[in-house]
Amino acid sequence: MKQRLLSLDTFRGLTVAMMILVNNPGDWGHIYWPLEHAAWDGCTPTDLVFPFFLFIVGVSISYAFKDKQPDSKTLLKILERSLKLFGLGLFLSLFPKFDISVVRIMGVLQRISLVFFFCSILFLYTKPRTQIGVLAGILILYYILMTMVPVPGIGAANLYAETNLGAYFDRMILGIPHLYKAVKVWDPEGLLSSLPAIGNGIAGMLAGYYMQNRDQEVSKKLLNLCLIGCMGMLVGWAWDSAGFPINKSLWTSSYVCWTAGMATCFWVGLYWLIDVKGHQRWTKPFVVYGVNAITVFFLSGLIPRILRMIKLQNAEGEEVNLQVWLYKSWITPWFDSPYNASLAGAIILVSLWCGILWIMHNKKIFVKV
């Protein structure tokens, strides 16, 4: 975007900082519940982070491409950026062993790349009315697939972790060696569940498009968007109550409605506070995250892998990796509670990255992917 929207950069920065916080606890065995994903059905604050980012992707598309035409140059840039994002995610999956036979194919960056690609094409070639239809169609189609279509080799449609239709597609198309290693036989960022994830991006595009409407006063636009966001949350809650539960791992249609509605309301609040009322002094720690979001997310995933490759001996003579050694030596001695120590480790990491990004921002170093 030629003209930065401060509320959007702040929103993106808050989201990425939260991503790093929840992805890097000092100790995975001691995490406060708001910083964990729901075990299956339900939605914790952590479960809001990824769909919020996809919503922001959609809003950014509506601003960045508002004057673009679907010519070969624009389409090539979209394809190039999508491939870069997917490639960065694949690199993280490969590093450090680079064993293609067991590499996880899907992941966070890979899903972002797919959502960016399909939403960008949709934005360039269709009008908002069509986009609303596509959004509704995706959510209804996914509901039908997951709740009505029998699962080959298993039986009736179901929403269990290992036997739902999405898990079947992951095993059949990607193969078990290429799935998320923690669960082995399905992938939380799998192929079929990437379809409704596009819905979060479309919701962001529609919100961004409406915000740019010059025929209405800002206050009226914000009020209407807030009402739409509340309606989305209500639909998500109702769908959950009707038997299609809010579930991040399955990325259910109710989850899309719930998180997209909440993201809309959250952005409306930030827009009013920052861009309308001008309360901007507090935003810089988040803006520095927001303008280099993909860079810091990628590096925050890469560097821990490097630290785990370096082996040291602790005070008891045991061999541990450098990441564990730093945590046990410099953080845990200061805390009686292992939960507080684990949280402190994550906060320190977020703060360190904030300092690095602050310097980059001051030097006008913005890494574009």
Side-chain angles (χ1 to χ4, degrees), residues 112-170:
I112 292 173
S113 77
L114 294 176
V115 171
F116 169 76
F117 178 80
F118 286 107
C119 285
S120 297
I121 299 299
L122 190 65
F123 184 83
L124 288 174
Y125 282 96
T126 65
K127 299 295 184 182
R129 186 184 298 271
T130 303
Q131 294 163 21
I132 293 172
V134 172
L135 172 58
I138 284 174
L139 298 185
I140 294 170
L141 173 62
Y142 190 65
Y143 167 72
I144 293 172
L145 289 173
M146 295 297 289
T147 62
M148 300 181 187
V149 176
V151 183
I154 293 173
N158 68 87
L159 300 177
Y160 298 116
E162 299 181 3
T163 56
N164 68 80
L165 188 64
Y168 167 78
F169 270 107
D170 290 340

Side-chain angles (χ1 to χ4, degrees), residues 157-189:
N158 68 87
L159 300 177
Y160 298 116
E162 299 181 3
T163 56
N164 68 80
L165 188 64
Y168 167 78
F169 270 107
D170 290 340
R171 292 192 295 271
M172 180 182 70
I173 299 174
L174 300 176
I176 289 178
H178 302 293
L179 302 180
Y180 185 47
K181 298 300 184 290
V183 293
K184 295 183 175 60
V185 294
W186 59 278
D187 199 305
E189 278 81 46

Side-chain angles (χ1 to χ4, degrees), residues 210-263:
Y210 183 71
M211 191 70 85
Q212 296 173 76
N213 182 2
R214 296 182 180 180
D215 296 332
Q216 289 185 339
E217 295 181 357
V218 173
S219 58
K220 186 175 181 180
K221 289 190 291 187
L222 293 176
L223 177 60
N224 288 341
L225 274 178
C226 188
L227 291 174
I228 292 170
C230 290
M231 287 176 59
M233 293 172 63
L234 181 61
V235 170
W237 172 81
W239 216 338
D240 173 89
S241 301
F244 199 35
I246 293 172
N247 184 304
K248 177 190 179 294
S249 295
L250 296 176
W251 212 282
T252 53
S253 303
S254 57
Y255 175 70
V256 174
C257 294
W258 178 258
T259 56
M262 194 173 294

Side-chain angles (χ1 to χ4, degrees), residues 3-269:
Q3 184 177 358
R4 306 297 305 192
L5 188 62
L6 192 59
S7 61
L8 190 60
D9 282 336
T10 303
F11 192 7
R12 188 187 299 107
L14 276 163
T15 304
V16 174
M18 186 67 176
M19 277 186 178
I20 293 173
L21 184 75
V22 302
N23 287 343
N24 296 275
D27 177 2
W28 283 100
H30 297 91
I31 307 173
Y32 285 111
W33 75 264
L35 302 180
E36 287 193 282
H37 292 293
W40 191 241
D41 295 338
C43 186
T44 71
T46 297
D47 292 318
L48 299 174
V49 176
F50 196 5
F52 274 25
F53 192 88
L54 296 182
F55 176 89
I56 294 166
V57 169
V59 177
S60 300
I61 288 170
S62 72
Y63 278 89
F65 293 162
K66 62 180 179 179
D67 298 321
K68 297 287 187 181
Q69 297 298 320
D71 52 32
S72 58
K73 183 179 180 182
T74 302
L75 295 176
L76 186 61
K77 284 186 176 180
I78 291 171
L79 179 60
E80 181 182 2
R81 186 160 196 257
S82 301
L83 290 175
K84 283 181 179 178
L85 287 168
F86 200 97
L88 287 173
L90 203 58
F91 180 87
L92 284 179
S93 297
L94 283 165
F95 189 88
K97 295 182 179 180
F98 293 96
D99 186 350
I100 298 177
S101 65
V102 294
V103 64
R104 183 192 180 197
I105 295 175
M106 298 300 291
V108 171
L109 288 172
Q110 293 92 316
R111 175 163 287 184
I112 292 173
S113 77
L114 294 176
V115 171
F116 169 76
F117 178 80
F118 286 107
C119 285
S120 297
I121 299 299
L122 190 65
F123 184 83
L124 288 174
Y125 282 96
T126 65
K127 299 295 184 182
R129 186 184 298 271
T130 303
Q131 294 163 21
I132 293 172
V134 172
L135 172 58
I138 284 174
L139 298 185
I140 294 170
L141 173 62
Y142 190 65
Y143 167 72
I144 293 172
L145 289 173
M146 295 297 289
T147 62
M148 300 181 187
V149 176
V151 183
I154 293 173
N158 68 87
L159 300 177
Y160 298 116
E162 299 181 3
T163 56
N164 68 80
L165 188 64
Y168 167 78
F169 270 107
D170 290 340
R171 292 192 295 271
M172 180 182 70
I173 299 174
L174 300 176
I176 289 178
H178 302 293
L179 302 180
Y180 185 47
K181 298 300 184 290
V183 293
K184 295 183 175 60
V185 294
W186 59 278
D187 199 305
E189 278 81 46
L191 291 173
L192 190 59
S193 62
S194 292
L195 178 64
I198 295 171
N200 290 90
I202 296 174
M205 289 195 314
L206 292 168
Y209 180 88
Y210 183 71
M211 191 70 85
Q212 296 173 76
N213 182 2
R214 296 182 180 180
D215 296 332
Q216 289 185 339
E217 295 181 357
V218 173
S219 58
K220 186 175 181 180
K221 289 190 291 187
L222 293 176
L223 177 60
N224 288 341
L225 274 178
C226 188
L227 291 174
I228 292 170
C230 290
M231 287 176 59
M233 293 172 63
L234 181 61
V235 170
W237 172 81
W239 216 338
D240 173 89
S241 301
F244 199 35
I246 293 172
N247 184 304
K248 177 190 179 294
S249 295
L250 296 176
W251 212 282
T252 53
S253 303
S254 57
Y255 175 70
V256 174
C257 294
W258 178 258
T259 56
M262 194 173 294
T264 302
C265 293
F266 196 82
W267 182 44
V268 165

